[in-house]
Amino acid sequence: MKFLIINGPNLNMLGLREPGIYGDKTYAALCDSLRAWCAEAGVECELFQSNHEGAIVDKIQEAYGAVDGIVINPAAYTHTSVAILDALKAVSIPTVEVHISKVSEREAFRQVSYVSYYALRTYEGLGFEGYHKAIRFLKETLTE
């Protein structure tokens, strides 16, 4: 079983970017945790981060027939990208959405998540642990 884990814009700046909201752990630390959690779940993983919407769409399309599940933190594209939603719908790969912060309690413009129209589940406000829960949930869902 293989998962694609996608992180959107500015997540490469974890540790520097608004530590009061996102914490002080780096993107490299997140990647280390993701690899460990996937190994623990017995799942191969591919990690991808981009600040470019089209690159994320391309990566989702490339995943067709190549991965069993997607964990995605679309970051700012959560609230703006119909293109990412459409790509997820096109490939029909089971997907779980993750947000490090509790977006539902943040600014009004962050209240819409286009990805949530497709995702099986959304984890928010749990920091890095949200990814861990997403990986476990996706593995359990796919092995039922």
Side-chain angles (χ1 to χ4, degrees):
M1 186 173 296
K2 183 175 181 179
F3 293 169
L4 171 62
I5 302 175
I6 300 172
N7 282 290
N10 299 308
L11 288 167
N12 58 310
M13 300 300 289
L14 287 173
L16 298 174
R17 178 185 178 209
E18 300 178 275
I21 295 173
Y22 299 102
D24 59 1
K25 293 181 183 173
T26 65
Y27 182 69
L30 173 61
C31 291
D32 290 343
S33 294
L34 293 170
R35 287 184 194 99
W37 291 327
C38 284
E40 172 187 291
V43 174
E44 182 183 348
C45 68
E46 178 180 353
L47 307 181
F48 180 77
Q49 187 278 327
S50 182
N51 295 318
H52 306 281
E53 182 180 29
I56 294 169
V57 169
D58 288 344
K59 194 66 176 176
I60 292 167
Q61 291 177 359
E62 291 168 12
Y64 181 74
V67 304
D68 302 292
I70 295 174
V71 173
I72 186 169
N73 182 341
Y77 291 133
T78 302
H79 323 292
T80 63
S81 184
V82 175
I84 291 172
L85 168 63
D86 286 348
L88 290 168
K89 289 167 62 177
V91 299
S92 296
I93 298 169
T95 299
V96 177
E97 178 182 21
V98 175
H99 298 284
I100 294 169
S101 70
K102 187 119 175 124
V103 290
S104 63
E105 295 178 358
R106 293 184 62 195
E107 302 94 338
F109 66 85
R110 296 187 195 273
Q111 301 311 303
V112 173
S113 168
Y114 287 103
V115 169
S116 72
Y117 291 116
Y118 178 74
L120 298 172
R121 182 169 285 182
T122 299
Y123 292 96
E124 64 165 310
L126 301 172
F128 287 8
E129 181 61 23
Y131 290 89
H132 192 193
K133 289 182 178 294
I135 290 163
R136 287 194 323 241
F137 171 79
L138 200 50
K139 170 73 185 282
E140 290 169 7
T141 300
L142 292 173
T143 54
E144 286 180 348

